[in-house]
Amino acid sequence: MKIAILNYHRMGGSGIVAYEIGRAMAEEMGHTVHFVGLEPPFRMGEQYSSRIHFHKVWLKDYPVFNYPPYTLALASQLSELIVRCDIDVIHSHYALPHAVAALLARDISGRNVKCITTLHGTDITVVGAHPTMKNITCHALMKCDAVTAVSNYLKKETERIFELPKGRIRTIYNFLNPEFFNPGLEEKQRLNPENDFICLHTSNLRRVKLPLDVIRIFHGLVVKSAKPMQLWILGEGPMQSEMAALAAGLGIGDRVRFMGIQTNIGPVIASADLLIMPSREESFGLSALEAMACGLPVLAAQAGGLPEVVRDGETGFLFPIGEVETAVGKGLQIVEDPDLHKSMGKKAAEHAVNTFNMKTIVRRYNQLYLDAVSGNGKGAVPSGT
Ligand code: GMT
């Protein structure tokens, strides 16, 4: 098959998942994959091959436009690609604007290309559900040949918000590439020669991640435990200064290390001891899965799809959103009990590999493509209806 993949090529979880699906479709399933967007997927690096291509979307600026119309440029250039490269399937990550652009490109091309969309969360819960975007999102959800969501939570939320018929959306969990995330990548000696207990937070430091609660929870652990501890923050975002100011105000500024955006985060994660993830909203929580795969227990809020990823009491602990004291109490059990820490880390790594297995999940996407192309898609809506 010839597959076009649309996604945001930046360091978000959806970009990583989209790239790994494309890479596996090319390298393991033998398909030809065309990534289409403003930039190549960051993991693609220089690894261009005869089966993996990148097509840059060119924007036409014009003084009358307030913003260059990306969706229109994408649809127009994609319609040309559909014909030139004889595309069979377009896999859009994010309903907006990608699923809409894919449907428009199909119409323009006049070809029977199949449109498949994977929902990642805020494309539905924040943007798609908003009155200014609700109709076009609903249109895309109904017109695509198949729609998947990365968790049962997101599937149910989407069905509820858009009053969709049951079975319109199916869940296919996220996964990760075990080559990049496994306990064997640990580099404690180099990254943590002091052998402190390392708490970790990895995100884009936006308000929805409740990053100030990360600092408050870490502070609670420092106050209640005699163990030397550090907090490592991987990622960058708008709340970084507030986090630094809060840490300084609480007298723990010297224990908090902002590590910024890094391309190879596996060794850093594997060298830490506990992931703190207090997010207010999280359709899946790929960072939790990455940490578990590296053998870390996860201390996470009971938000969205996180309870489907983290097994409470087994691979970490869950706490009610915003309840810092509860989180500290649960985190302390892990910090103070090395046996519990070890057994939870081991179960976390097993759970990550078994339940979110890359090969199994890539096969499910492959079957979805095959069903769509052969017209067998369960719950699929025929093109153009
Ligand atoms: O919308 C965002 O917050 C970014 C987005 C992304 O591109 O990574 O995150 C969403 O998709 C991820 C991959 O499926 C999920 O792991 C995140 O939970 C989800 N974010 C939210 O639901 C807030």
Side-chain angles (χ1 to χ4, degrees), residues 198-375:
I198 306 295
C199 295
L200 175 77
H201 174 73
T202 125
S203 83
N204 46 24
L205 310 186
R206 286 180 303 151
R207 201 159 289 280
V208 71
K209 307 286 177 186
L210 299 189
L212 298 183
D213 279 3
V214 175
I215 302 290
R216 293 185 188 111
I217 292 167
F218 176 65
H219 174 251
L221 294 174
V222 168
V223 168
K224 293 198 166 142
S225 170
K227 282 208 173 137
M229 275 193 254
Q230 297 177 39
L231 171 63
W232 293 353
I233 315 270
L234 269 176
E236 282 174 7
M239 302 270 301
Q240 182 165 333
S241 317
E242 271 179 78
M243 292 173 81
L246 179 62
L250 291 169
I252 51 167
D254 58 334
R255 294 170 184 256
V256 181
R257 196 163 143 195
F258 289 93
M259 300 173 125
I261 291 176
Q262 302 194 13
T263 42
N264 185 22
I265 57 175
V268 181
I269 298 175
S271 305
D273 297 296
L274 173 69
L275 183 83
I276 302 178
M277 195 167 184
S279 304
R280 191 178 60 214
E281 219 175 277
E282 208 67 73
S283 67
F284 182 88
L286 197 67
S287 308
L289 182 56
E290 289 171 348
M292 292 195 314
C294 290
L296 268 65
V298 174
L299 184 60
Q302 276 154 348
L306 274 172
E308 293 172 60
V309 180
V310 180
R311 285 203 172 138
D312 192 20
E314 263 185 69
T315 68
F317 283 122
L318 296 170
F319 59 90
I321 300 169
E323 290 196 11
V324 170
E325 275 315 307
T326 311
V328 172
K330 293 192 176 210
L332 207 58
Q333 291 181 43
I334 299 174
V335 174
E336 298 291 89
D337 182 344
D339 290 340
L340 179 68
H341 178 251
K342 200 167 163 201
S343 76
M344 275 191 161
K346 189 163 173 283
K347 281 187 197 147
E350 286 165 2
H351 179 50
V353 169
N354 296 335
T355 312
F356 306 95
N357 184 275
M358 180 163 78
K359 283 195 168 29
T360 311
I361 292 172
V362 166
R363 274 201 293 270
R364 287 198 66 193
Y365 278 115
N366 191 51
Q367 194 57 49
L368 192 69
Y369 296 172
L370 291 171
D371 286 349
V373 168
S374 66

Side-chain angles (χ1 to χ4, degrees), residues 8 10-17 94 118-123 125-126 150 153-154 174 204 206 208-209 277 279-287 305-306:
Y8 285 112
R10 56 182 165 78
M11 297 207 196
S14 62
I16 292 170
V17 170
Y94 266 61
T118 293
L119 309 175
H120 284 272
T122 45
D123 50 343
T125 54
V126 177
V150 298
Y153 155 78
L154 183 58
N174 281 334
N204 46 24
R206 286 180 303 151
V208 71
K209 307 286 177 186
M277 195 167 184
S279 304
R280 191 178 60 214
E281 219 175 277
E282 208 67 73
S283 67
F284 182 88
L286 197 67
S287 308
L306 274 172

